Structure formats: C-alpha cells, structure tokens
Amino acid sequence: MSDNHVYLDYSATTYIKPEVLAAMRPYLDTYFGNPSSIYALARITEQAIGQSREQVAAALNAAKNEIYFTGGGSEADNWALKGVAFANKQWGNHIITTKIEHHAILHTCEFLAQHGFEITYLPVDSEGLVDVDSLRQAITAKTILVSIMFANNEIGTIQPIAAIGKLCREKGIYFHTDAVQAVGHVPIDVQAMNIDLLSLAGHKFYGPKGVGALYIRKGVKIDNLIHGGGQERGKRAGTENIAGIVGLGQALELATTDIETENQRLTRLRDKLIAGLTAIPHSRLNGPVGAKRLPGNVNVCFRFIEGESMLLLLDSVGVSASSGSACTAGSLEPSHVLLAIGLTHEIAHGSLRLTLGAGTTEQDVDYVLEVLPGIVRKLRNMSPLWKEFLNKGGTKL
Amino acid sequence: MNYSAKVMDHFMNPRNVGEISDADGIGEVGNPVCGDIMKIYLKIDDNRIQDVKFNTFGCGSAIASSSMATELIKGKTLEEAWELSNKAVAEALDGLPPVKMHCSVLAEQAVHKAINNYRIANGLSPWDYKEHGDIHALAPDEQ
C-alpha cells in the first residue's frame, strides 16, 4: 500500500460527511424510540423523520407526503417498477426502459418479463443518450411505464429528462427515473421535469448506506413492495432506519446547498483529468463532454490492456478506481453500457472509471496523471495485442 | 476480489515477460473478446526448455498464472512440462478465486500448445491433449 491515498470511486459510494454523522449519532443511542410508539421518545424520532422528509422534498421540489423512505436505491427501483407494473396491468403490460440502466432496473425488468410484461430496451447513441423520438415511436397503447435513468453510473451521460417527462405526461404514461447518480449532483425539479417516480440513495451524496427514497407523485397508482406494518403511511412496512433517514435528509440538504460551486469545481478537475488521460495514445473518452456529463465522471478506455490489471496497479500506488471490464464484474461480459455505446468487447475490457467527489483535490488529479501513463505502458509492454499492433506498423509510444 | 500474496507478487513482478525472436515453439490461447490472451514462447534444446517467455493481455490472475507457469516449466524436459496442470499453477500461486480458475487453465493450454507447436515443426506427431472445453462455463469444483 502506498502512502498516497487517492479515492476516485465516488460513484460507487461516498464517505459520510462529519456534519451528517453528527446529525445521525443521537438517533443511534439517545433518541432510539420506535416512531410507532406513543411516548415522548417516539415522538422525537417521528419528528426527525418528518424533518428529513421535508429536506428531501425541498431538494426535489416535491411535496413532503410524496417522499417514501426505503432501504436503498435498489429497493426504490424495484418498488417503482414492480409496484407500478402490477397496479396498472389492467391498462397494459408494456414497459419502456433503456439498454444502459443499472442492474436494479434491468434485472427487475427481466423479472417482470417472466410475469407477462413486455419490455422495450431503447438503444442509446455513441455518447449514451436516448433519442426522444425513438421513445415516442416505441410507445404503444399498452405502454404503462417509462423508466429512464437520470444520469449513467458508468459514463456519466445525463439524459434529456425534461423532454422525456414532457412526452410521457402528454401520452398519459407514468415516468420513473433512477436518479441515484444525479440526486445531490445536478439540479432536479420533479414538477418542471414531469417526473412521476424517482429513486435516490443516501450513500451517493455523503449520506449513509442502506437508506434511500422513492418519490411518488401524488395520484400515481402503485402497489406496495414490502408488506407489513403501517410505516410510511401504509406504503412501506418496516421499523424506520431513523439515523439513516436523518443522515440522508441532512446530506441531501448539504449537497443541494453548494451544488453550483461544487459542480464548477468538479467540472474543472474532471476536464483536466479527461484531457490528461486522453493524451495517452490509443485512448478514448466514453460518454459526452460538457454539460451532458456528470461533473464528477471520467471514463476512458485504453486499447491493448485489460481493466482489472490497471486497477490493481493503480491500487498499488494508492489510487482507488473502477472498471467496466468483465474481470472486475466477476462475469464474462464487459460492461453492458460500454457495449451499448458501440464499443467492441476488446476495447470495453480496457476501461477505467474515475469518479471525483467532495474530497478530490487538484493534487489527486495531478497524481493520477503522473502515475497512469507508466501503468498503461507497463501493461502494454506485456500485451500480445500491443505487440501485434506494433508488428503491423503501429506507432510506439 | 482477494488475491493471495503470491498472485500479487507474480502480477506486480511478473517473471519471464517478453518474446523469444527465434523461439522453437509458440502457443497462443484465449481471445480479446473474453478479455484474456496468453502467448508463450519456448526455446528448446536437447528436449529441454532452456528458456521461456510470455506476453499476456488480461487481468491480474491471468498475468500471474502466465508468470507462474513459465517458472514451473523452465529447465524441464518436454515430458515433464507436458504434465503441468492448471491445478499445479493455481496451487503454486497459493490458490486463485473460483471465478479466476480459468486463468490457470489458459496457462496450461498455452504451454501444451507451445510444446505441440514445437513437435509439429520438428516432424513429430503432436501429443494428445484433452481440452477443458468451455473453460468459462465450468463450475468452480470442476475446474
């Protein structure tokens, strides 16, 4: 392990900010009462949950009673899809989503397909963007739900959510967006964007893990996913994760407050990192440039090498990163997102994702730009693909 | 993913990396679609592996398996080297995670292919080799 520690995997998860942890702590030991109880200790926790609900609602421009806490982003996605599908099946059985969704959406759609629903997976362009016209053409009389992610976790593409929302509202079809990567990082207004359901997760914006929320616009017909007690106004059973909920609300309020300045800071660091990495020969940026990209997302492919070995060498010099290679996913297929934007398997295996966040400094970016060229060179020097490329007349670095 | 210290050592400091320009036998296995290619070069004199080098495109365990396989066959007779099994490679690395066992299979196959490449080039009949089949499809306990 190196003395340097540069964490560049903020899209995987974030640390809990000190002020968030401080807000949570009393609800782990002092105010531990079950909110469903009658005594004063319980009323305190009930109020704390109410305050968090207000904080989340304010961040999304939603009403307080449209926010339902869950056990994380995956649960919110599962609830939105299964809940809307089963509650509205008398109107139709068709759901539209995209090829680049998180597995919490894709695998839930596969489950629904086994239960009589028909799923359309919209393609994306080379930058990962959905074409609103192709969505319009995919809608049939049986379409009951459109689920399109707000921003992609791998390549950072931000979808034209307002245009999609407008179209769905015109057609009278529910629109869900998995906004796990976007909430707290890009401004969101569920009313202006005509969003009916939205998933979010606390640990992506400096809150705790194991807690998330689903925004359900008033009037949306949805079945319960978790059956049991009457918590969350009878829609999501289970004794509330009070400290987690308090932390989520606090973290989202903090993230929303400095969203503009933090985005400017991260965008500058992001673009510096992209410029430096794509200066390495035979590399390419995955995903769009500019405002269509999440401020903290960098995803670059390096030809002739494989992602996991890059990650191991980066880790050995203190850099935590991730990759879309098959070997890091523990599967045979490289990232479905990289394949969907048109990369070959061979190139997708050589992807590197660096995601920046609150703790990222200019020094971190400089350090990565200092160590990475050597890592790429070392791996290329033992790659038969690189040797073959050179033998065919390719230019040496 | 937890690799043993031995795997990390052979990944960080791989032995016998490179090519042999006048190799007597070359074996290449894998493909870029699956994300791993291994190429092994043998220098053979008097039926013995005098030198061995490799190039590998792949993950940490693919590189470590190549490195270990070359170490295990260096200086061996062809008959001895032919006995190299993927299990021996994995054991010498103090084990591989179940999803990475196919990397050791690639190393075994690359060595066999290089030896037969030498035999054919020298007018000898290739030795029978039972392929592992789809090495990615094997259950961990079959590998």
Side-chain angles (χ1 to χ4, degrees):
Chain A
M1 185 75 195
S2 156
D3 288 341
N4 286 300
H5 187 234
V6 176
Y7 181 80
L8 288 172
D9 206 14
Y10 283 92
S11 279
T13 194
T14 60
Y15 59 88
I16 298 181
K17 282 188 176 169
E19 48 272 64
V20 173
L21 188 58
M24 292 170 66
R25 202 178 296 262
Y27 297 96
L28 291 164
D29 51 12
T30 310
Y31 308 122
F32 62 88
N34 190 322
S36 302
S37 303
I38 193 76
Y39 33 77
L41 192 59
R43 286 198 297 276
I44 292 170
T45 53
E46 200 187 354
Q47 280 166 11
I49 292 170
Q51 195 199 335
S52 176
R53 207 182 303 282
E54 278 174 17
Q55 288 167 317
V56 176
L60 303 175
N61 193 26
K64 185 184 172 186
N65 60 6
E66 294 175 315
I67 305 300
Y68 298 87
F69 293 110
T70 67
S74 290
E75 185 194 320
D77 282 344
N78 270 263
W79 184 12
L81 266 57
K82 293 175 192 167
V84 168
F86 288 118
N88 297 279
K89 62 174 188 275
Q90 75 270 33
W91 310 112
N93 68 340
H94 183 225
I95 296 168
I96 302 172
T97 185
T98 79
K99 289 185 175 175
I100 62 163
E101 299 296 311
H102 189 273
H103 287 120
I105 296 292
L106 293 178
H107 290 166
T108 303
C109 284
E110 285 167 24
F111 168 82
L112 288 170
Q114 291 165 4
H115 288 80
F117 292 91
E118 283 174 24
I119 318 289
T120 297
Y121 298 92
L122 292 175
V124 292
D125 69 13
S126 60
E127 292 186 335
L129 283 160
V130 170
D131 175 37
V132 180
D133 278 332
S134 55
L135 168 62
R136 188 190 307 274
Q137 285 157 22
I139 293 172
T140 72
K142 287 184 172 178
T143 309
I144 51 171
L145 175 66
V146 170
S147 179
I148 295 177
M149 71 197 326
F150 204 109
N152 186 266
N153 48 314
E154 292 187 41
I155 58 173
T157 310
I158 300 172
Q159 300 297 341
I161 292 298
I164 294 167
K166 186 166 174 280
L167 172 63
C168 292
R169 187 62 54 86
E170 282 166 13
K171 299 277 183 183
I173 297 165
Y174 288 143
F175 173 41
H176 166 254
T177 184
D178 171 358
V180 164
Q181 293 292 338
V183 170
H185 303 289
V186 288
I188 296 175
D189 183 328
V190 291
Q191 293 186 57
M193 294 171 165
N194 289 305
I195 297 167
D196 296 309
L197 303 110
L198 177 146
S199 306
L200 62 93
H203 73 109
K204 305 291 192 186
F205 47 80
Y206 311 96
K209 295 170 181 58
V211 62
L214 181 64
Y215 153 77
I216 307 174
R217 188 176 58 78
K218 192 170 185 297
V220 168
K221 203 165 168 247
I222 183 168
D223 281 353
N224 287 0
L225 180 71
I226 309 287
H227 301 272
Q231 291 86 356
E232 296 296 285
R233 301 176 310 291
K235 289 180 100 72
R236 199 280 187 183
T239 298
E240 297 87 341
N241 171 6
I242 307 157
I245 289 169
V246 167
L248 184 150
Q250 191 70 24
L252 187 49
E253 189 176 286
L254 273 174
T256 317
T257 309
D258 71 347
I259 204 164
E260 290 298 330
T261 46
E262 179 64 356
N263 278 3
Q264 282 173 17
R265 189 184 77 88
L266 288 179
T267 301
R268 199 183 65 77
L269 293 177
R270 174 197 75 183
D271 291 345
K272 181 178 183 179
L273 192 51
I274 289 173
L277 294 179
T278 51
I280 296 175
H282 312 296
S283 62
R284 57 156 283 154
L285 175 70
N286 300 312
V289 292
K292 287 180 186 171
R293 186 178 198 102
L294 281 174
N297 177 286
V298 175
N299 190 313
V300 176
C301 278
F302 299 98
R303 281 185 68 192
F304 316 114
I305 59 177
E306 191 278 334
E308 191 214 71
S309 43
M310 231 186 316
L311 297 187
L312 290 170
L313 288 177
L314 278 169
D315 184 43
S316 75
V317 292
V319 179
S320 307
S322 76
S323 167
S325 89
C327 275
T328 55
S331 69
L332 302 180
E333 283 285 303
S335 147
H336 64 288
V337 177
L338 297 179
L339 297 180
I341 62 170
L343 299 194
T344 63
H345 280 67
E346 178 185 335
I347 291 175
H349 282 302
S351 78
L352 175 68
R353 183 187 75 169
L354 301 165
T355 44
L356 292 61
T360 308
T361 63
E362 183 114 27
Q363 286 80 1
D364 292 343
V365 170
D366 291 340
Y367 181 65
V368 171
L369 292 177
E370 184 190 316
V371 298
L372 201 65
I375 288 173
V376 171
R377 200 177 309 123
K378 176 176 178 171
L379 291 171
R380 281 184 179 161
N381 278 338
M382 62 173 115
S383 165
L385 294 173
W386 175 241
K387 299 292 163 66
E388 195 183 320
F389 175 75
L390 292 180
N391 288 340
K392 284 180 183 162
T395 338
K396 210 174 169 105
L397 293 187
Chain B
M1 189 74 65
N2 262 322
Y3 285 134
S4 70
K6 209 67 164 279
V7 172
M8 284 310 293
D9 175 35
H10 276 260
F11 166 69
M12 295 295 296
N13 312 291
R15 282 62 148 178
N16 309 310
V17 173
E19 301 105 283
I20 298 174
S21 54
D22 58 342
D24 299 305
I26 298 175
E28 182 174 330
V29 292
N31 67 68
V33 174
C34 296
D36 34 31
I37 302 176
M38 229 173 253
K39 196 166 181 180
I40 285 185
Y41 299 81
L42 301 177
K43 189 73 199 150
I44 295 161
D45 190 26
D46 197 17
N47 199 46
R48 199 171 280 277
I49 297 172
Q50 301 296 344
D51 197 11
V52 50
K53 298 274 187 207
F54 80 90
N55 277 157
T56 290
F57 159 80
C59 61
S61 66
I63 290 169
S65 295
S66 318
S67 169
M68 181 54 87
T70 58
E71 284 284 271
L72 290 173
I73 62 169
K74 205 172 190 173
K76 297 279 169 65
T77 65
L78 292 186
E79 286 77 8
E80 287 165 343
W82 188 262
E83 295 304 313
L84 178 82
S85 69
N86 79 296
K87 283 201 176 71
V89 174
E91 276 166 22
L93 288 167
D94 292 339
L96 285 171
V99 295
K100 299 289 189 177
M101 279 304 281
H102 73 267
C103 294
S104 64
V105 177
L106 275 181
E108 175 195 308
Q109 290 177 339
V111 170
H112 282 104
K113 218 164 166 181
I115 291 174
N116 271 342
N117 174 257
Y118 162 81
R119 289 185 59 85
I120 292 164
N122 286 275
L124 302 165
S125 59
W127 282 333
D128 280 342
Y129 177 57
K130 193 178 163 290
E131 293 276 340
H132 281 250
D134 183 357
I135 56 169
H136 291 301
L138 291 181
D141 57 349
E142 291 176 279
Q143 287 174 336

PDB file of all heavy atoms in Angstrom, chain A residues 266-281:
ATOM      1  N   LEU A 266     -15.733  20.603  -9.568  1.00  0.00           N
ATOM      2  CA  LEU A 266     -15.536  19.238 -10.070  1.00  0.00           C
ATOM      3  C   LEU A 266     -15.413  19.199 -11.593  1.00  0.00           C
ATOM      4  O   LEU A 266     -14.625  18.428 -12.141  1.00  0.00           O
ATOM      5  CB  LEU A 266     -16.690  18.329  -9.619  1.00  0.00           C
ATOM      6  CG  LEU A 266     -16.701  17.960  -8.138  1.00  0.00           C
ATOM      7  CD1 LEU A 266     -17.905  17.084  -7.821  1.00  0.00           C
ATOM      8  CD2 LEU A 266     -15.414  17.260  -7.722  1.00  0.00           C
ATOM      9  N   THR A 267     -16.201  20.026 -12.271  1.00  0.00           N
ATOM     10  CA  THR A 267     -16.152  20.033 -13.738  1.00  0.00           C
ATOM     11  C   THR A 267     -14.759  20.414 -14.229  1.00  0.00           C
ATOM     12  O   THR A 267     -14.232  19.815 -15.177  1.00  0.00           O
ATOM     13  CB  THR A 267     -17.215  21.005 -14.299  1.00  0.00           C
ATOM     14  OG1 THR A 267     -18.492  20.582 -13.848  1.00  0.00           O
ATOM     15  CG2 THR A 267     -17.203  21.019 -15.823  1.00  0.00           C
ATOM     16  N   ARG A 268     -14.156  21.384 -13.557  1.00  0.00           N
ATOM     17  CA  ARG A 268     -12.812  21.804 -13.958  1.00  0.00           C
ATOM     18  C   ARG A 268     -11.803  20.661 -13.741  1.00  0.00           C
ATOM     19  O   ARG A 268     -10.995  20.358 -14.616  1.00  0.00           O
ATOM     20  CB  ARG A 268     -12.381  23.041 -13.152  1.00  0.00           C
ATOM     21  CG  ARG A 268     -11.239  23.823 -13.766  1.00  0.00           C
ATOM     22  CD  ARG A 268     -10.815  24.982 -12.886  1.00  0.00           C
ATOM     23  NE  ARG A 268     -10.261  24.533 -11.605  1.00  0.00           N
ATOM     24  CZ  ARG A 268      -9.040  24.046 -11.436  1.00  0.00           C
ATOM     25  NH1 ARG A 268      -8.231  23.929 -12.469  1.00  0.00           N
ATOM     26  NH2 ARG A 268      -8.614  23.656 -10.245  1.00  0.00           N
ATOM     27  N   LEU A 269     -11.890  20.008 -12.586  1.00  0.00           N
ATOM     28  CA  LEU A 269     -10.977  18.893 -12.299  1.00  0.00           C
ATOM     29  C   LEU A 269     -11.228  17.727 -13.257  1.00  0.00           C
ATOM     30  O   LEU A 269     -10.303  17.095 -13.761  1.00  0.00           O
ATOM     31  CB  LEU A 269     -11.146  18.418 -10.851  1.00  0.00           C
ATOM     32  CG  LEU A 269     -10.712  19.396  -9.753  1.00  0.00           C
ATOM     33  CD1 LEU A 269     -11.000  18.803  -8.374  1.00  0.00           C
ATOM     34  CD2 LEU A 269      -9.226  19.726  -9.882  1.00  0.00           C
ATOM     35  N   ARG A 270     -12.502  17.470 -13.516  1.00  0.00           N
ATOM     36  CA  ARG A 270     -12.889  16.395 -14.435  1.00  0.00           C
ATOM     37  C   ARG A 270     -12.278  16.628 -15.811  1.00  0.00           C
ATOM     38  O   ARG A 270     -11.665  15.731 -16.399  1.00  0.00           O
ATOM     39  CB  ARG A 270     -14.427  16.370 -14.560  1.00  0.00           C
ATOM     40  CG  ARG A 270     -14.956  15.402 -15.600  1.00  0.00           C
ATOM     41  CD  ARG A 270     -16.397  15.693 -15.971  1.00  0.00           C
ATOM     42  NE  ARG A 270     -16.528  16.858 -16.836  1.00  0.00           N
ATOM     43  CZ  ARG A 270     -17.683  17.367 -17.260  1.00  0.00           C
ATOM     44  NH1 ARG A 270     -18.820  16.822 -16.887  1.00  0.00           N
ATOM     45  NH2 ARG A 270     -17.710  18.427 -18.053  1.00  0.00           N
ATOM     46  N   ASP A 271     -12.431  17.857 -16.310  1.00  0.00           N
ATOM     47  CA  ASP A 271     -11.961  18.131 -17.664  1.00  0.00           C
ATOM     48  C   ASP A 271     -10.432  18.114 -17.757  1.00  0.00           C
ATOM     49  O   ASP A 271      -9.873  17.739 -18.783  1.00  0.00           O
ATOM     50  CB  ASP A 271     -12.562  19.452 -18.168  1.00  0.00           C
ATOM     51  CG  ASP A 271     -14.069  19.323 -18.409  1.00  0.00           C
ATOM     52  OD1 ASP A 271     -14.553  18.170 -18.457  1.00  0.00           O
ATOM     53  OD2 ASP A 271     -14.753  20.346 -18.533  1.00  0.00           O
ATOM     54  N   LYS A 272      -9.792  18.483 -16.653  1.00  0.00           N
ATOM     55  CA  LYS A 272      -8.329  18.396 -16.631  1.00  0.00           C
ATOM     56  C   LYS A 272      -7.904  16.918 -16.689  1.00  0.00           C
ATOM     57  O   LYS A 272      -6.991  16.551 -17.434  1.00  0.00           O
ATOM     58  CB  LYS A 272      -7.791  19.041 -15.352  1.00  0.00           C
ATOM     59  CG  LYS A 272      -6.276  19.016 -15.249  1.00  0.00           C
ATOM     60  CD  LYS A 272      -5.759  19.709 -13.997  1.00  0.00           C
ATOM     61  CE  LYS A 272      -4.236  19.698 -13.997  1.00  0.00           C
ATOM     62  NZ  LYS A 272      -3.679  20.378 -12.815  1.00  0.00           N
ATOM     63  N   LEU A 273      -8.595  16.102 -15.925  1.00  0.00           N
ATOM     64  CA  LEU A 273      -8.277  14.673 -15.898  1.00  0.00           C
ATOM     65  C   LEU A 273      -8.544  14.032 -17.264  1.00  0.00           C
ATOM     66  O   LEU A 273      -7.721  13.258 -17.775  1.00  0.00           O
ATOM     67  CB  LEU A 273      -9.112  13.997 -14.803  1.00  0.00           C
ATOM     68  CG  LEU A 273      -8.772  12.570 -14.396  1.00  0.00           C
ATOM     69  CD1 LEU A 273      -7.294  12.404 -14.068  1.00  0.00           C
ATOM     70  CD2 LEU A 273      -9.611  12.159 -13.186  1.00  0.00           C
ATOM     71  N   ILE A 274      -9.672  14.392 -17.873  1.00  0.00           N
ATOM     72  CA  ILE A 274     -10.009  13.842 -19.196  1.00  0.00           C
ATOM     73  C   ILE A 274      -8.945  14.243 -20.217  1.00  0.00           C
ATOM     74  O   ILE A 274      -8.459  13.402 -20.997  1.00  0.00           O
ATOM     75  CB  ILE A 274     -11.410  14.317 -19.649  1.00  0.00           C
ATOM     76  CG1 ILE A 274     -12.500  13.630 -18.818  1.00  0.00           C
ATOM     77  CG2 ILE A 274     -11.629  14.038 -21.140  1.00  0.00           C
ATOM     78  CD1 ILE A 274     -13.908  14.146 -19.073  1.00  0.00           C
ATOM     79  N   ALA A 275      -8.564  15.512 -20.193  1.00  0.00           N
ATOM     80  CA  ALA A 275      -7.569  15.990 -21.166  1.00  0.00           C
ATOM     81  C   ALA A 275      -6.251  15.243 -20.996  1.00  0.00           C
ATOM     82  O   ALA A 275      -5.620  14.822 -21.974  1.00  0.00           O
ATOM     83  CB  ALA A 275      -7.368  17.491 -21.001  1.00  0.00           C
ATOM     84  N   GLY A 276      -5.834  15.041 -19.743  1.00  0.00           N
ATOM     85  CA  GLY A 276      -4.571  14.358 -19.484  1.00  0.00           C
ATOM     86  C   GLY A 276      -4.613  12.882 -19.871  1.00  0.00           C
ATOM     87  O   GLY A 276      -3.656  12.351 -20.443  1.00  0.00           O
ATOM     88  N   LEU A 277      -5.710  12.232 -19.572  1.00  0.00           N
ATOM     89  CA  LEU A 277      -5.801  10.790 -19.850  1.00  0.00           C
ATOM     90  C   LEU A 277      -5.933  10.511 -21.343  1.00  0.00           C
ATOM     91  O   LEU A 277      -5.357   9.557 -21.867  1.00  0.00           O
ATOM     92  CB  LEU A 277      -6.994  10.173 -19.104  1.00  0.00           C
ATOM     93  CG  LEU A 277      -6.894  10.163 -17.580  1.00  0.00           C
ATOM     94  CD1 LEU A 277      -8.139   9.550 -16.965  1.00  0.00           C
ATOM     95  CD2 LEU A 277      -5.648   9.419 -17.107  1.00  0.00           C
ATOM     96  N   THR A 278      -6.707  11.347 -22.042  1.00  0.00           N
ATOM     97  CA  THR A 278      -6.893  11.094 -23.474  1.00  0.00           C
ATOM     98  C   THR A 278      -5.668  11.532 -24.279  1.00  0.00           C
ATOM     99  O   THR A 278      -5.605  11.264 -25.481  1.00  0.00           O
ATOM    100  CB  THR A 278      -8.174  11.768 -24.015  1.00  0.00           C
ATOM    101  OG1 THR A 278      -8.159  13.144 -23.619  1.00  0.00           O
ATOM    102  CG2 THR A 278      -9.422  11.105 -23.466  1.00  0.00           C
ATOM    103  N   ALA A 279      -4.711  12.181 -23.597  1.00  0.00           N
ATOM    104  CA  ALA A 279      -3.448  12.494 -24.274  1.00  0.00           C
ATOM    105  C   ALA A 279      -2.575  11.237 -24.378  1.00  0.00           C
ATOM    106  O   ALA A 279      -1.617  11.194 -25.152  1.00  0.00           O
ATOM    107  CB  ALA A 279      -2.701  13.594 -23.522  1.00  0.00           C
ATOM    108  N   ILE A 280      -2.895  10.202 -23.588  1.00  0.00           N
ATOM    109  CA  ILE A 280      -2.185   8.921 -23.701  1.00  0.00           C
ATOM    110  C   ILE A 280      -2.610   8.300 -25.039  1.00  0.00           C
ATOM    111  O   ILE A 280      -3.811   8.217 -25.315  1.00  0.00           O
ATOM    112  CB  ILE A 280      -2.530   7.988 -22.520  1.00  0.00           C
ATOM    113  CG1 ILE A 280      -2.038   8.613 -21.202  1.00  0.00           C
ATOM    114  CG2 ILE A 280      -1.940   6.592 -22.723  1.00  0.00           C
ATOM    115  CD1 ILE A 280      -2.432   7.839 -19.963  1.00  0.00           C
ATOM    116  N   PRO A 281      -1.650   7.887 -25.871  1.00  0.00           N
ATOM    117  CA  PRO A 281      -2.034   7.354 -27.187  1.00  0.00           C
ATOM    118  C   PRO A 281      -2.972   6.140 -27.086  1.00  0.00           C
ATOM    119  O   PRO A 281      -2.903   5.377 -26.117  1.00  0.00           O
ATOM    120  CB  PRO A 281      -0.693   6.932 -27.804  1.00  0.00           C
ATOM    121  CG  PRO A 281       0.320   7.758 -27.105  1.00  0.00           C
ATOM    122  CD  PRO A 281      -0.186   7.942 -25.707  1.00  0.00           C
TER     123      PRO A 281
END
